[in-house]
Amino acid sequence: MARPVVQLTADRAKTAQAALNSRDRNKIAEYWDAEFRFLVPGNHPYAGWCEGLENFISFRDKLVELSGGSIRMDLISVLINETDGYSIDMNHCHATRAGAQACSTSLYDRIQFDGLDAFKWENGKIVEGYAAIFGDGMTNFNLFLSPVGSDGHRRDP
């Protein structure tokens, strides 16, 4: 029996992101392939390929932990190339490190950047992704995820 063709639309891409943000494994499995791989940009302990959906979810869980749950990625726009099976999400990300002083402006304590996530879709699910972070946002992301704090002391990444 042939699989039904799933149309790639901006709404489907947005719903896939919402499923991931829900942390509900059943919802996630509707849109994200178990063998999904994602290239995390940067120069920090988490940079490189997350191989497998569970590893990617673990990386995202670490961001939630480091930020005390404050991390937010606001979707600005979604572009679709249905012919080749790609979606590109333009987003704005912001977070405050767990335990940071409210008045801190340190790039080790706060992240704020604009970026893109590009996703390859096959058979209605996301199978691969890449992130790009613009301008000084990449430096900010690296410092936030650094195992060394602004005071020069090592901390758990």
Side-chain angles (χ1 to χ4, degrees), residues 23 25 53-54 102 105 123 149:
R23 303 174 87 183
R25 293 292 208 265
L53 182 58
E54 288 304 316
T105 58
N123 301 315

Side-chain angles (χ1 to χ4, degrees), residues 34-70:
E35 300 303 314
F36 172 74
R37 61 194 302 246
F38 187 80
L39 185 58
V40 178
N43 185 14
H44 52 79
Y46 306 102
W49 284 104
C50 286
E51 299 282 351
L53 182 58
E54 288 304 316
N55 285 331
F56 178 63
I57 291 171
S58 292
F59 166 68
R60 288 182 52 100
D61 287 347
K62 188 63 173 181
L63 292 174
V64 170
E65 175 190 334
L66 290 173
S67 72
S70 70

Side-chain angles (χ1 to χ4, degrees), residues 44-111:
H44 52 79
Y46 306 102
W49 284 104
C50 286
E51 299 282 351
L53 182 58
E54 288 304 316
N55 285 331
F56 178 63
I57 291 171
S58 292
F59 166 68
R60 288 182 52 100
D61 287 347
K62 188 63 173 181
L63 292 174
V64 170
E65 175 190 334
L66 290 173
S67 72
S70 70
I71 193 160
R72 297 291 177 265
M73 186 175 291
D74 303 322
L75 216 50
I76 297 169
S77 184
V78 176
L79 305 171
I80 300 296
N81 177 333
E82 188 175 8
T83 303
D84 296 321
Y86 283 93
S87 65
I88 298 174
D89 303 346
M90 179 186 287
N91 52 67
H92 177 77
C93 185
H94 50 97
T96 301
R97 179 173 288 284
Q101 293 182 359
C103 61
S104 176
T105 58
S106 170
L107 298 180
Y108 292 89
D109 291 339
R110 298 192 184 284
I111 54 175

